[in-house]
Amino acid sequence: MAQMQTPNVQMPPSRAFTFHLDFEGLGWLTIDVPDAPVNTLSRETLAELAGIVTALEEMASSGELKGVVLLSGKDSGFIAGADITEFDEMSDPGVLRAALDRAHGLFDRIEALKVPVVAGIHGFCLGGGLELALACHYRVAVNDDRTRLGFPEVNLGIFPGFGGSGRSIRQAGPVDAMQIMLTGKLLRASPARRMGLVDKLVRVRDTLRWEARKAVLQARKSSPAPFTKRVMALGPVRGYVANKMRAEVGRKAKPEHYPAPYSLIELFEQHGDDWRAMKRGEAERFIPLMNSNTSKNLRRVFFLSEGLKKQGVRGKDKPVFRRVHVIGAGVMGGDIAAWCALRGMGVTLQDLDMERIKPALDRAKALFRKRLRSKTEIDNAVARLEADVTGKGLARADVVIEAVVENLEIKRKIFAEAELKTRPGAILATNTSSIELERIAENLTAPGRLIGLHFFNPVAQLPLVEVIRSRFNADADIARGAAFALAIGKSPVVVKSAPGFLVNRVLMPYMLGAVQRVEAGANKEQIDAAAVAFGMPMGPIELMDTVGLDVGKSVAEELGNPVAPDSQFARLIADRKLGRKTGQGFYTWSNGKAVKGEVPPHPDLAGLGRELVQPLVNATAVAVAEGVVASDDLADIGVIYGTGFAPFLGGPMQARKDGRA
Ligand code: T1G
């Protein structure tokens, strides 16, 4: 370790930064925001950095300073971005503009320092953190599985506001840079290096310092993107590229719902060939976006999702889960087993014979190939998922998840056996979507061991797991269930054991209401288009076909809304036209897609959509009132994560409060 020198220039006091000058004249600047799990750039932290940069400028001028290395002192990573908790208090455009101008000025000064400034990156380097790294002259990153770089701002209804729009284009070229800003996609170190956002990779964090030191002493500078990339932002090509980006974004988000990506594309269209102009143009667009309803709601959704992480058991009592035994190798059981194996668990998948288990293993392999990069990782995941016809995995399991047919007697039998064969601390969980837990658990010796872990189809896409609580469960049973859901990267929402729990309970009236309109002669394409115009990810009729009309019927009956025997719905079921899985339901399905006709014109499609979701909003309010879910916030995040309900509206309860649903 280089011994420390006392700089001739006095460093200002700082809570978030430490600095020392070594015998070679290298300044080692470490950010470690106190009492926080991750580093974020609050106004206070940025003000401290500004004072430090003033001292660095003086030391560089005096020749005392040969270069600066910026590192993070946190294990979690480099910097997670600007401090989102401050955004609501900066709603005044003048306050926000001044804050942005200060940040821009500060980052410009860092870039203008007369000595090399090198960023050493490990773990998260996101948003404003990546923008700060891009203002440095050179970037070294640890090439391991924890390093992630990116601009998640678009998930908050904004886009990079500290100069990152221009600097990322300068480094990565317009197409790649815009792609990661428009999608919020996070990059591992190696792709970030290929893209030009990072200059050098090291294998482990310990060598960051060494490599960064070399970069300073050799005065290495990052190269801007080559002309072959930059050409995509020149002249008429830029307009063409901008339209392609607009079309791509339009496939997932409407401008009236999510203005940020469209505003960023306009900024690119205006200044994409001049990164400094791009950077200068950020603030006037950033400010209205930050104050938009969409951004306020998306920030709330972010903090609600962060709050879900606290539902598990944390700290020293945090349980460790290694082995999962899944009973039932159907679509849900197989996909739950595959997901657990993907997330590192050892999994045994039980069913009556190999013929039933093999399709699930095949689907799992396809998921591993899609989500994992190297052959080794794929092979390891495959090895973690074992067929288990005899159920030998029960005895070693930390968690048992039953996902068999919705038959009460079969479930009771399964748990009666599981209770005897599993270790006392093992979690017993059912993935039932409709049977109240009490009826499954009541004959067990320890009924409190049984909880619900209700996953959503497709398991690999939908983050929500409803952790179902029966009257037999203690808080600890539920906390362990939530901890397991978090351990496999899911978002747990605790829900009381009541018909339909939360998501099915609110979805069903919405879907059945739409079906009734179609039965009364409404056009199904128009109904679905209206729901999407409102902000749902998919229309209710297409959703019913996707879920399966037979499943819809059984959940409807469970909720006391039986399907009328003389209805088109009942006739479709009678004819085994069950939706996507049989190729025919309300729609004809081809290659997994609903074949849709033209949407008849409607004077206020979004207004019709708002009418359609009323049953969903009302059912959510009733679920909260009945204590099925503990609060409006948990209902909102649960419905957003379980149904894709318009995140830009903040969920059904927030939308109702805002008079938008
Ligand atoms: N601001 C404030 N708090 C933050 C934060 C942020 N940017 N990022 C994380 N936290 C808090 C989080 O609420 C939680 O707090 C703790 O830190 C993280 O613990 C100008 C404007 C980084 C992937 O959007 O995605 O930069 O609940 O358990 O699971 O262009 O946090 O513990 O009290 O979540 O390992 C852009 C958001 C900001 C990143 C870590 N950056 N953060 O997840 O840890 S906008 C983001 C995350 C911006 C500039 C713009 C995740 C994480 P608490 P954790 P984790």
Side-chain angles (χ1 to χ4, degrees):
M1 162 76 81
Q3 73 260 26
M4 292 171 57
Q5 278 191 335
T6 309
N8 298 325
V9 175
Q10 191 54 39
M11 270 291 162
S14 166
R15 297 180 66 246
F17 293 91
T18 53
F19 176 82
H20 75 261
L21 189 66
D22 72 14
F23 74 104
E24 294 180 302
L26 260 66
W28 297 90
L29 181 61
T30 303
I31 181 170
D32 192 343
V33 176
D35 311 320
V38 301
N39 286 320
T40 56
L41 298 175
S42 64
R43 284 173 290 183
E44 180 193 11
T45 299
L46 287 171
E48 290 182 0
L49 183 55
I52 290 165
V53 169
T54 301
L56 294 176
E57 287 163 339
E58 289 171 30
M59 291 164 70
S61 299
S62 70
E64 183 183 15
L65 182 71
K66 298 293 179 285
V68 183
V69 178
L70 173 63
L71 294 165
S72 161
K74 291 219 187 288
D75 286 341
S76 60
F78 186 65
I79 298 172
D83 183 345
I84 307 172
T85 62
E86 292 189 331
F87 289 6
D88 286 347
E89 64 201 53
M90 289 204 283
S91 55
D92 177 285
V95 169
L96 184 50
R97 180 73 203 233
L100 291 171
D101 290 348
R102 280 195 303 273
H104 275 251
L106 172 58
F107 287 19
D108 290 349
R109 286 170 59 203
I110 290 168
E111 195 162 62
L113 265 171
K114 296 285 175 278
V115 294
V117 183
V118 175
I121 298 164
H122 72 282
F124 297 112
C125 177
L126 308 176
L130 179 52
E131 295 178 280
L132 173 53
L134 287 170
C136 299
H137 303 134
Y138 194 81
R139 286 156 291 282
V140 184
V142 180
N143 188 19
D144 68 5
D145 196 38
R146 297 179 62 229
T147 298
R148 291 288 187 280
L149 301 96
F151 292 115
E153 287 90 335
V154 73
N155 301 326
L156 298 170
I158 48 180
F159 58 64
F162 287 170
S165 67
R167 291 195 170 99
S168 60
I169 286 179
R170 179 193 69 195
Q171 292 306 125
V175 174
D176 285 347
M178 287 295 286
Q179 172 72 6
I180 60 170
M181 286 189 278
L182 291 170
T183 60
K185 180 171 176 280
L186 305 188
L187 299 171
R188 293 167 183 268
S190 190
R193 164 80 182 78
R194 284 197 298 274
M195 198 180 273
L197 295 175
V198 166
D199 301 290
K200 181 81 178 171
L201 299 179
V202 294
R203 289 177 52 75
V204 291
R205 187 178 166 194
D206 291 347
T207 51
L208 262 184
R209 302 175 75 91
W210 181 252
E211 195 57 46
R213 171 183 169 277
K214 277 199 304 185
V216 169
L217 296 181
Q218 293 166 14
R220 289 186 207 156
K221 279 238 183 224
S222 188
S223 311
F227 177 75
T228 49
K229 284 189 166 187
R230 285 185 284 117
V231 70
M232 300 304 277
L234 301 181
V237 177
R238 185 161 82 243
Y240 171 77
V241 168
N243 287 331
K244 292 279 283 180
M245 291 174 184
R246 228 173 251 114
E248 183 60 31
V249 169
R251 266 195 272 281
K252 293 197 178 66
K254 296 177 182 305
E256 60 270 25
H257 297 160
Y258 297 98
Y262 294 90
S263 182
L264 178 62
I265 291 170
E266 285 172 8
L267 179 62
F268 167 72
E269 216 161 15
Q270 286 168 336
H271 302 301
D273 60 339
D274 175 352
W275 72 267
R276 290 184 179 83
M278 185 92 183
K279 183 167 77 68
R280 281 195 303 273
E282 280 174 5
E284 65 184 295
R285 291 173 174 277
F286 184 94
I287 291 167
L289 289 175
M290 174 79 105
N291 287 328
S292 66
N293 241 340
T294 289
S295 185
K296 286 181 188 133
N297 283 330
L298 291 177
R299 294 200 295 267
R300 175 172 167 269
V301 168
F302 166 73
F303 285 115
L304 291 181
S305 69
E306 288 296 310
L308 297 185
K309 296 178 182 178
K310 296 180 178 56
Q311 293 186 104
V313 182
R314 302 181 84 164
K316 63 180 177 38
D317 300 329
K318 187 174 175 182
V320 175
F321 302 101
R322 291 190 181 83
R323 302 199 60 78
V324 181
H325 183 73
V326 177
I327 303 171
V331 171
M332 287 307 287
D335 290 358
I336 291 168
W339 181 262
C340 291
L342 179 71
R343 300 290 302 198
M345 298 285 162
V347 183
T348 42
L349 176 58
Q350 180 179 359
D351 211 317
L352 299 175
D353 52 43
M354 269 311 290
E355 192 187 341
R356 286 177 169 82
I357 297 176
K358 186 154 182 338
L361 300 182
D362 294 341
R363 285 202 311 277
K365 206 173 286 183
L367 174 69
F368 301 152
R369 287 200 189 105
K370 196 169 159 196
R371 295 295 186 91
L372 298 171
R373 292 179 303 160
S374 70
K375 185 177 180 315
T376 307
E377 288 174 316
I378 293 168
D379 293 346
N380 290 343
V382 170
R384 286 196 295 269
L385 176 55
E386 289 174 69
D388 178 10
V389 175
T390 61
K392 68 179 186 315
L394 270 173
R396 295 175 297 167
D398 300 312
V399 183
V400 177
I401 302 174
E402 166 271 317
V404 300
V405 66
E406 288 293 83
N407 175 299
L408 178 59
E409 287 321 307
I410 295 176
K411 292 181 189 295
R412 280 178 171 164
K413 187 168 172 296
I414 284 171
F415 285 109
E417 181 186 1
E419 186 176 38
L420 295 175
K421 290 188 175 175
T422 51
R423 293 184 294 106
I427 292 177
L428 301 183
T430 172
N431 176 59
T432 184
S433 57
S434 56
I435 302 176
E436 285 179 67
L437 252 59
E438 286 81 354
R439 296 165 64 196
I440 303 172
E442 59 196 358
N443 302 330
L444 295 175
T445 312
R449 282 185 66 188
L450 178 65
I451 64 170
L453 289 178
H454 183 217
F455 291 78
F456 290 83
N457 186 4
V459 172
Q461 262 80 45
L462 287 174
L464 180 69
V465 170
E466 287 177 325
V467 181
I468 314 299
R469 175 170 197 151
S470 78
R471 69 169 188 276
F472 302 119
N473 292 132
D475 292 350
D477 302 319
I478 297 304
R480 280 168 53 77
F484 170 69
L486 290 165
I488 58 170
K490 289 292 179 185
S491 295
V493 172
V494 178
V495 177
K496 189 169 85 175
S497 169
F501 309 137
L502 172 64
V503 169
N504 284 343
R505 175 185 175 128
V506 304
L507 262 185
M508 209 33 72
Y510 157 63
M511 290 158 71
L512 290 177
V515 166
Q516 279 155 16
R517 286 175 182 251
V518 169
E519 301 253 5
N523 174 282
K524 60 182 184 295
E525 283 85 353
Q526 188 178 76
I527 290 283
D528 279 353
V532 172
F534 169 81
M536 300 304 283
M538 177 190 289
I541 304 300
E542 186 177 351
L543 181 60
M544 184 63 90
D545 266 13
T546 305
V547 165
L549 275 62
D550 50 337
V551 174
K553 176 175 181 290
S554 74
V555 175
E557 282 159 1
E558 189 67 30
L559 288 170
N561 310 321
V563 171
D566 59 346
S567 63
Q568 181 193 353
F569 195 133
R571 283 194 298 279
L572 284 168
I573 292 173
D575 297 345
R576 300 301 297 161
K577 293 178 177 175
L578 305 179
R580 186 172 67 181
K581 59 187 171 189
T582 59
Q584 176 70 46
F586 284 98
Y587 289 106
T588 301
W589 288 76
S590 164
N591 298 325
K593 291 243 182 289
V595 178
K596 292 190 175 180
E598 281 301 304
V599 175
H602 188 284
D604 178 13
L605 213 49
L608 173 57
R610 185 168 154 168
E611 271 178 51
L612 287 169
V613 301
Q614 275 319 304
L616 185 154
V617 176
N618 297 339
T620 305
V622 170
V624 174
E626 291 179 0
V628 172
V629 61
S631 67
D632 289 359
D633 282 352
L634 285 170
D636 277 341
I637 195 70
V639 172
I640 288 171
Y641 276 5
T643 71
F645 183 99
F648 68 92
L649 291 175
M653 303 304 283
Q654 187 62 44
R656 168 166 284 186
K657 283 173 197 150
D658 292 344
R660 300 175 73 186

